[in-house]
Amino acid sequence: MIEIVLALAIGVLGASGVWLLLRPRTFQVIIGLCLLSYAVNIFIFAMGRLRVDAPPVTASGLETPALYADPTPQALVLTAIVISFALTALFLVVVLAARGATGSDHVDGEEPRG
Amino acid sequence: MSVASMPEWAATVIAVLAVGGAGLSLLGAVGLVRLSSFYDRVHAPTLGATLGMALILVASWLYFGTAHGRWLPRELLIAVFLTVTTPVTLILLARAALFRDRTEQSEPQEKPVPMGGDQPGG
Amino acid sequence: MSARILEVGLTTALVLLGLALVCAAFRIIRGPRAQDRILGMDTLYLNGMLIAVVFGIRSGSDLYFEAALVIGMLGFAATVALAKFLMRGEVIE
Amino acid sequence: MRAVLPHPLLSMGLFVASVLLSDSLAPPSLVLGVVMALAAPQVMRAMRIEPVSVRAPLAIITLAGRVAVDILRSNLAVAQILAGRRADRVSGFIHIPLDLKARYGLAVLAIIITSTPGTLWVEYDRARGRLLMHVLDLVGEETWVRIVKDRYERLLMEIFE
Amino acid sequence: MTDWLEHLIIGPIVLPLIVAAGMLLIDERRRIVKGVLSLAAMAVILVMALLLIHESTTGAVDGGDVARVYRLGDWAAPYGIVLVADRLSTLMVALTGVLGICALVFSLARWDRAGPRFHILFLLLVMGVNGALLTGDLFNLFVFFEIMLAASYGLVLHGSGETRIRAGLAYIAVNLTASLLFLIGVSLIYGLTGTLNMADLATRIPDIAAEDRGMVHIGAAVLAVAFLIKSASWPLGFWLAPTYSAASAPAAAMLAILSKVGVYVILRLNALIFSAEAGASAGFGLEWLLAAGLATMLFGVLGMLATRDLMRAAAFAVMVSSGTLLAVIGGGGIASLGAALYYLVGSTLACAALFLVAEILERGRDPGGDAGKAVFEDEYRDPFEDTERNDPGLVIPAAVAALGGAVVLCTLMIAGLPPLAGFIGKVAMMGALVSADSVAGWMIVGMLAVSSLAAVISLTRLGVGAVWTRDETAPNLVVGAGEFVGIAGLLGACVLMSIFGETVLAYAQHTASWLAEPSAYVGAVLTGEGR
Amino acid sequence: MTIGLLLVLLVALPFIGAVVAAGLPRHARTAAAVLSWVVAFICVVCLALLWPRFQDGEVLQLDIPWIPSLGMNLMLRLDGLSWLFSALVLGIGALVVLYARYYMSPKDPVPRFFSFLLAFMGAMQGLVLSGNLIQMVVFWELTSLFSFLLIGYWNQNPLAREGARMALTITALGGLALLVGMVLLGQIAGGYDLQTVLDSRDLILADPRHTVALGFILVGAMTKSAQFPFHFWLPRAMAAPTPVSAYLHSATLVKAGIFILIRFWPVFAETPMWLAVVGGAGMVTLLVGAWTAIFQHDLKGLLAYSTISHLGLIVLLLGLGTELGAIAAIFHVVNHATFKASLFMAAGIIDHEAGSRDMRKLSGLFRFMPVTAALAIVAAAAMAGVPLLNGFLSKEMFLAEAVAGAGRHPLATALPILATLASAFSVLYSLRFIHATFFGPPPTALDRTPHEPPVWMRRPVEILVLLCLLVGMFPALTVAPFLRSAAVSILGVDLPYYSLAIWHGFNLPLLLSVIALAGGVGLYLLFGRRINANGTGGPLAVRWLNGGYLFEKTMTGLFRGAELGMTMLGARGVQQQLRVIILVAVGVAIIAGLGADGLGLAAPVLAAPSLMDTAFALMWLVGGACAITAAWQAKYHRLAAVVLMGGAGLASCLSFLWLSAPDLAITQLLVEIVTTVLLLLGLRWLPKRLESIVVPDHLQRRSRIRRRVDLIIAAVTGLALSVGAYAVMMRPAITNGVSQFYVEQAYVLAGGRNLVNVILVDFRAFDTFGEITVLGIVGLTVFVLLRRFRPYGDSLPEPTQKRVQAASDRRREDRSEGDTLKEAMLVPQVVMRWMFPFIILFAMHLFLRGHDLPGGGFAAGVALSVAFVLQYMASGAQWVEERLEIRPAAWIGLGLLIATLAGVGAWVFGHPFLTSAFQYADLPLLGRVPIASAVVFDLGVVVLVLGATVMMLVALAHQSLRKARQAASADAPEDRT
Ligand code: NA
Ligand code: NA
């Protein structure tokens, strides 16, 4: 059941993100990228299958893999979170610089011509 | 010790505390929906941030104490920090709202907004 | 039996807190003004933190404590920034 | 002493917090607590934060008790309002003249008032020593002024001034 | 192999990082120190790359090819991340080294002052490229792609100015999207195979359950889209021309290799994962690569013809070269692939050189124009009171003639006219494709001819415009000695590639055969257990 | 001297000379000429030395390996044909060098001219001496290249630039065709060796692809030899200095295509395609060239079209497919080279000394330059085919072949008639050339008085004209052995009978010749005046046949078409590009999925949800609603969008918590806090977007459609993500993946219990290493960008809130500016400042416990940076920076160094980069404590993350301060609004 919910969540986040990504204003694109990266992070995470109450923190000693959630996707998501955070920040600053240089907050740096 | 060996009364107390805390929080959140003006709504979440939180944290402390014998009240950290930090947001927010209401006189307010001393309009 | 009592009680608490999230989200979405949204956000964080604590009790693990503490200790940074922005038009002066 | 322990209260708090965070009373955890209690306040020294000096330690306990009781009571009162039992309720702003000038005292007062359901610290005019408060249930301005001044302000002035 | 040679593989990654990190602690004003440091680092990287090439061609016991594997953290693949130096990756690292040194020397004349932290970003770009080339792990590849891209963002924006910022905005938006697709693709593949190591993946693909294969293919397809975006394939590469032509010249020259890294990855994964031994997945998506490659070539051709700006023409030349490679990977076969690898090296060098030359010509031509002009400014003055500072280089009387010669050489390389390497690569590709006598082969041959002709038409038109229409009254071209050396280095490399065509081509052909037999690679990566 | 060395010298010496000449100083005119002449002379000597070395049908070869694996070798091959062509190239080259010394102006950079000329000579030598198909293409293209440089030599002249470009474009087109043809031919024949190809005639003709190969080769040959319809570049190339015209465009370059045709004549001559295409093109070119030449007013233009015509004649001879035709073709190549080169030189002399080449301005020059006139008259007579001159001989052979071939050739009986007509035209324009220039009244339109040129400028013409006479009168004593040797190398030793005698008795060819001569003279008498007087374009047919015009149109069309193609195939702007990317990604995923046997998709099982699931669903009800609302509100309500995004983010965090990923929850929470602050910092500089902005109707309609399309795209993408994720989640977990190893071995081998952290700092530490590098780079880039940041005009003023509050502070006497802020921040400041040490403590714990419990370096670093930001928010940047030393760039560097050194440290112990060590240490007081070296690495992570995050936040925050400073300073930059 939670699989359905989470799949829908990924879909809704992804759709919202994509919609914003395709919008003309830079700020919309930033928010879109953030939402998309949420979607993707959960997507990566979901690739390890879902487990409740099985955090991959072991006792001290040899362990049975079946008892724990898959740690690898979690590690990947952590890296992805960091990178997308960094790039969101960079994108924001470029957006500001573009706005300062062109006066427009359109993604193309100029208002669309009629 | 584990959950299985936990006395039923303790389990009951923990459950009641948790449900009570959650209920209070919900009530606060409901207030957020139901109250009609912003200044009234600011008060609502405090329910969850004080007693609601306290009940749940006590439940947690009791649980880990009875079930795992871990009686050090780590939950105190959350309680203290939350108590100290929540007002910061609320104060700033109320201040900001007041300022906005004062400057935007045109927008009718349900309740009168006090002017800041002699400041005409803000 | 204890386990069952806990199970029912804590799950109920989680559902109640989930409903509280919904109420807070309503305020965020509905507004009408920015301060309402920020207030809703604050409430959302608070209830999220409580969910983390209750979920920790329910799973009998203290691995979730830090997450709750992060919200309790640092969550206000986001809402303070929002409130300050509202008040001054600038977060850092 | 000032160089090592510029903020003794803070150090104490840090030690306790550290032990709680470590969730253990084992020696490594205690040592870490001591180290952190000594090290972390250095940042306050660098920021030239004036230390808290408590004049009446016992008053703190009294204050804490009062606040706890008030918060409990207010919780129940506000819960009733939110449950829709008080249709005649009127909310509003009130001004409260404050004699308390100490920065930390004011901060604690603000936290108390805001943390108590039903009251909210909104604006403090330092020049006039006047606090603007929002109250969910405006039962009468005088009552609120008395509560704030008698129950909290006096104790706070004892502690911090 | 002696001990220090063991660690040689990671050298091209760690060395630039250490130098860059160290530079962060040095005062920004000490430019000479920084220039010398980064130049030395690049030189050492090139030497390392050459040693690695030597190792990968002679390392095996019987004297044949070998994939040298470096186990990071001493964890065996697939549990840890490994670096793999084989013929292909080391060749690319060496190419990066040559390109890097030349672009760096070029930048020392002037461009490194167009903004702060140039050398650091430059070295980190090199680190990212080398990492992406050497890694044997799919997710680690993502990470190095991001390093490479992050540094390239910085370098594209280096020099500021409206054009650059606008182009940079589009570039970043597109690449962020591509990165998200990358993640989706990688995680899908992980979710179905449980591994991230490319070699391990190669062993798992043949045995994958039938109902899982479709999902793996979806993952691979999404991943391919990400790489095709980076290699500027049509219709995913519209960002390339505005970005590359807006970037400062040394940055643009370095960017010339970035699109090739995308191609490299497609080639590598295709050779490993969808090799002939991949069972039901063998040759997955090749026809799409062919189509994308041909379309990219066509688009690049149109772009070259349509543009009136030499920088942009160079950018479209990069697209044509990407398209050529993709088409050959998709529809060429091993023999033409070898030739294509030779072509890759040559065309990358030539496009980079053209970027450098074009920038100088444009600079001298339009002293008043400020659309693409960099803001030269000292970081430690108040940015709001900056006045233009344009350090003069040497005024060389024969500069125009020399630059004209450089344009001619670039044209020869890019159009594939004799006697330079461009021609050799083209003849080699055509020969292989014609002898294969397939429809795909003939389509590629046709596009090759068309693209050559378009390059001649476009580059002579623009080159004539830039070099020959300069009259006596035009301002003297101010060209730094370093700029000449940088361009000469790139073109010199092209000439060397032509003179030693047999050697280089043999290396490339051998590399193609090596790629066609992935078992040696897989075997080298997957030996060893635990730590 | 060995033969090999001589062969090498023949090709290499001109190139060496070219390099030396290029290095000469700009004004070294004589030195360059002497150098060139010496080079040409030595080459001629070498060639002469080689003459007796090969007998009939023999071939001298030298193989220099270049790229043997491709069959691309330098194969120098000398036989009769190449000897003859080489002699032409070198001999005329030597004469042209001499001529050019006097022709070129001292103002020009003459050494460069000679350098190009020598390089061209080398390229021609390489071509004619080539024994390898690819080598032929190589030198072929080199001749194009140097011809381009020579035509464009006077590059200040737009006509020269255009002419050069056109020549290169056409010849490069031909070169490419030639390349494809040669590659295919080589593939068919089994090698690029010329001898192999010549030896495998039957094999080649048996392969059906030979027509394709031949077609491409013919295109190459015809472009270079200016055959219709590729002829038009040649007249345009006349913008070159005259020595170039004399050398390239009469004697050598244009003969390259003919050389190729002759070379492959033995292989292809009898194929129907050859007869049709070569013969047809030759015939058309012969007529069109001659017809057009008649109407030229420019001496060089006339000569150029005449050249085209004569090239057509030669091609036609080859296209007849008869052996005698081939011999006649070779003979006419030589003859044409001599008389046409001399005519060009004469035209150059006239231009040089009279200042014009326009026949309408020139007149009666005979009396001013009688010697030159006499030379030109003889050469023109040779061109017209007057007896006793060399042109007569080859034309007689041509007419004879035309008559003989009339039976077999596709053109049949039209052939002799057309040939005669063309010959008559030839007479006509030759006559016009002479009459209009040298006879009639003295010129009136010239700027100067014409006179004879310097003697040495005339010498080359004299030599060539002498050759015309000698060959014309004593063919057997002069040209016969060379012609025979060349013919033998094509046709083999059994040559058909041919006679070079002047007199063959009365026969049909002679009759035709007489008719042509008489007809030409008659036509000139009839129409000469009208031709001389006609306006610019000449008769309609001439203009209609103006390929140059068509070429320009084609080129313009090409550029326009390319632009159009770009707009059709390209995308305008970022939005379109992103739309395409998303569409392609989704499309490709769907196609890949459809192509598979099935995706193992299970239908969703809709059981009654448990209470727990309900709680989870409630969380996502919130998250989803927030996401959708954020998407909806982001345009006009940015603050709301930030808050809503936070809501969606919180739902993600709680999901991670719920689904056993506490580390993710912590990290995501921290990142979200920082992101919120970051976005708010940026919001200050973005323009307000108001719903009240009026958008024109048509834009609104367009945007409505776009929004609908995007909505569909977004929905499909979301659905695809959902289905993909669901499909994988419902599959059983992988049991043989890498994770199993991690779970089993993490504690034993790496000494950590928090698997995620162990993966991050040990198993896959290299990822983390890269990840922090990204963070560092971004921090630096942000810093770099913001140093240059210039806010747009409308975001320069202080925010409204600040201004109004400051104003109200000023109004009250008991308050000073800033009091409102101070009072509002009074309480928050206390809390935020005192939280600082506690957050440090918390970060320390996150860091230390990371290896065993949720936390780790990244979380610690971000937590620390939040602590710093809180101080900035509470007290302002100035306050903080007066008290704390904030040096984020250095922290980034330090963090990177620590992490790297932690990795490099392993080398000391002989382990690979990033190998961690793990041990328990018994410490006094503390007891048994686990020590993992990975902690050092993680410390680097903390420092770097702190540096990078603080860098981003602080650099952004500083913009407000900078702006304030700037507003205060007097020399603020111009307002940009
Ligand atoms: Na309150
Ligand atoms: Na540029």
Side-chain angles (χ1 to χ4, degrees), chain E residues 160-293:
Chain E
S160 299
E162 189 186 322
T163 326
R164 269 181 264 279
I165 291 175
R166 272 160 72 158
L169 183 70
Y171 178 60
I172 298 175
V174 168
N175 275 299
L176 289 184
T177 314
S179 300
L180 293 175
L181 293 175
F182 196 148
L183 286 174
I184 291 174
V186 169
S187 56
L188 262 175
I189 289 175
Y190 173 81
L192 293 154
T193 61
T195 190
L196 290 164
N197 183 282
M198 298 181 197
D200 194 27
L201 205 54
T203 61
R204 285 168 190 249
I205 290 286
D207 307 324
I208 212 157
E211 74 267 20
D212 286 353
R213 196 171 294 278
M215 291 301 286
V216 173
H217 284 183
I218 291 177
V222 173
L223 208 52
V225 172
F227 298 135
L228 286 174
I229 291 174
K230 313 216 175 198
S231 45
S233 161
W234 188 87
L236 306 167
F238 305 132
W239 54 271
L240 184 136
T243 309
Y244 283 27
S245 58
S248 64
M254 281 312 280
L255 291 178
I257 189 98
L258 253 64
S259 53
K260 297 302 179 294
V261 178
V263 175
Y264 161 85
V265 175
I266 288 177
L267 176 58
R268 168 71 81 201
L269 289 181
N270 187 58
L272 264 180
I273 299 179
F274 299 125
S275 68
E277 290 142 37
S281 295
F284 171 72
L286 284 184
E287 64 276 26
W288 290 93
L289 274 187
L290 173 67

Side-chain angles (χ1 to χ4, degrees), chain E residues 111 163-164 244-249 252 309 311 355 358-359 362 371-373:
Chain E
W111 271 107
T163 326
R164 269 181 264 279
Y244 283 27
S245 58
S248 64
D309 172 299
M311 277 296 255
F355 277 122
E359 191 266 327
E362 269 167 27
K373 194 171 59 177

Side-chain angles (χ1 to χ4, degrees), chain F residues 116 120 188 224 245 346 355 388 458 478 602 703 729 766 905 910 925:
Chain F
F116 291 160
F120 173 80
I188 296 171
K224 200 106 181 184
S245 311
L388 294 184
R458 220 173 51 203
T478 49
S703 96
M729 281 190 282
F766 204 48
L925 231 70

Side-chain angles (χ1 to χ4, degrees), chain D residues 22 27 47 103 124-125, chain F residues 812 823 829 845 883 925-926:
Chain D
S22 305
M47 292 202 299
R103 189 181 172 83
Y124 172 68
D125 186 334
Chain F
R812 260 178 60 178
E823 285 168 7
Q829 250 169 18
H845 273 269
R883 289 163 173 78
L925 231 70
L926 300 178

Side-chain angles (χ1 to χ4, degrees), chain F residues 497-511:
Chain F
Y497 172 78
Y498 67 97
S499 156
L500 290 178
I502 304 166
W503 181 252
H504 295 112
F506 286 107
N507 53 11
L508 189 55
L510 186 66
L511 179 65

Side-chain angles (χ1 to χ4, degrees), chain A residues 1-8 49-50, chain F residues 616 726 729-730:
Chain A
M1 201 63 195
I2 47 174
E3 279 87 359
I4 293 181
V5 174
L6 204 68
L8 287 175
R49 317 295 189 268
L50 304 188
Chain F
F616 188 76
Y726 187 72
M729 281 190 282
M730 292 315 285

